[in-house]
Amino acid sequence: MDDDVTLHGPASWEGSPRRYGPVARVAVLSDIHANIPAFEAVLAEPDVAAADLVVLNGDLTWGPQPQETYELIAALGDRALCVRGNCDRYAAEIGTGVRVADTPRQQWIADRHSPEALGFLTRVPFGVVVEIDGLGPVHFCHGSPRSDHELVTPATPSERFARLSAAIDARVLVTGHSHLQFDRTVAGLRSVNPGSVGQPYHSGGPGTAHWALLGPDVRLRTTRYEVSDAVARAHRAADPDAERYVAALLTPPAPQEIVEEAESLVFVN
């Protein structure tokens, strides 16, 4: 790790990750990026509706419909465990005046959160641990256990993975951030990414949300949704970055491109 990299780990008010469980089934939804049609489609899946907990693994509201995304999360009540992503951190900091927006879109997104939604984002923890039947303790974080903007991919070398996971007490590490769905064993731990609900990087057709079901094993899942609805909502919302957002929905970059770029950069906001 470069000495000049600023790590974005637990906030000053946080201690060790809060622990939950044991439970039988956990649905993991990551990187929703305020894509309401994709989010609603996954929430409607029977296995998600029946899960004991729904872990929302970061980058929740950063996209065309942030307030609506917050309201769907709030409606899940105590079943939802949220983890803070780098974009959630940005939205909270900009929305509360702690940070100055670098682009018009950053300010636009922050402005579309109600005071309640911004308050929610400021309280989302960096990570959680859930005891899941068949898997044992599972550590959830957005980037890595040491920073919300560190990328973990299917090609992360065992040496770096061992360093980034050294402090956790778990048998399985679930991350997001890379928008890549995978399940591998490395450096003695199981490394899982459910992929992205709202903006997955994959080789399949558009209109596919990625997620995972945990317990008693790991099942990587996909759900079809109406991508034209997501495109129309981005334009109706007057998202300043609508064209780039839509392009990523309709023609996502190839996973291998993302892996190569991510492993060359390691830390990406």
Side-chain angles (χ1 to χ4, degrees):
M1 184 175 65
D2 294 337
D3 292 337
D4 60 350
V5 173
T6 299
L7 298 181
H8 300 282
S12 59
W13 52 267
E14 297 183 77
S16 299
R18 188 169 177 182
R19 304 181 78 93
Y20 298 85
V23 296
R25 300 287 185 278
V26 173
V28 191
L29 285 59
S30 189
D31 296 275
I32 297 164
H33 283 285
N35 182 339
I36 293 294
F39 191 20
E40 290 181 330
V42 176
L43 289 177
E45 287 277 8
D47 282 338
V48 176
D52 299 296
L53 293 172
V54 179
V55 175
L56 303 164
N57 212 38
D59 281 9
L60 310 173
T61 68
W62 195 269
Q65 294 190 273
Q67 180 63 25
E68 295 86 346
T69 304
Y70 159 70
E71 291 168 2
L72 283 175
I73 294 170
L76 292 172
D78 292 340
R79 290 182 63 231
L81 298 182
C82 295
V83 170
R84 182 173 67 250
N86 59 305
C87 288
D88 306 315
R89 169 170 52 84
Y90 271 33
E93 290 176 347
I94 295 168
T96 58
V98 173
R99 181 188 189 95
V100 176
D102 296 322
T103 68
R105 190 190 192 225
Q106 290 183 0
Q107 189 63 57
W108 181 88
I109 288 175
D111 289 345
R112 273 144 190 83
H113 290 76
S114 67
E116 292 78 15
L118 287 174
F120 157 75
L121 289 180
T122 64
R123 296 188 299 272
V124 174
F126 177 73
V128 298
V129 176
V130 182
E131 181 85 23
I132 303 174
D133 291 354
L135 294 173
V138 178
H139 187 108
F140 296 87
C141 58
H142 180 68
S144 80
R146 59 187 181 180
S147 184
D148 63 26
H149 77 316
E150 181 171 10
L151 288 154
V152 178
T153 80
T156 296
S158 59
E159 296 82 4
R160 178 162 73 89
F161 190 86
R163 291 195 301 272
L164 67 86
S165 63
I168 71 170
D169 175 23
R171 292 163 52 188
V172 181
L173 173 63
V174 179
T175 58
H177 194 37
S178 70
H179 295 211
L180 298 168
Q181 189 180 67
F182 61 85
D183 176 11
R184 69 190 288 238
T185 298
V186 57
L189 287 177
R190 195 166 185 177
S191 175
V192 175
N193 189 317
S196 171
V197 169
Q199 207 166 48
Y201 300 149
H202 63 117
S203 56
T208 306
H210 290 204
W211 56 285
L213 187 68
L214 274 56
D217 203 348
V218 174
R219 284 174 278 175
L220 302 179
R221 300 284 296 274
T222 60
T223 297
R224 298 289 297 165
Y225 74 94
E226 188 53 66
V227 71
S228 62
D229 187 12
V231 169
R233 287 173 184 246
H235 287 303
R236 280 201 307 271
D239 184 340
D241 206 19
E243 293 308 320
R244 190 165 68 90
Y245 181 87
V246 166
L249 292 181
L250 299 179
T251 54
Q256 190 55 41
E257 289 178 37
I258 297 298
V259 168
E260 291 173 2
E261 181 179 18
E263 290 301 328
S264 68
L265 297 172
V266 180
F267 294 92
V268 174
N269 277 308

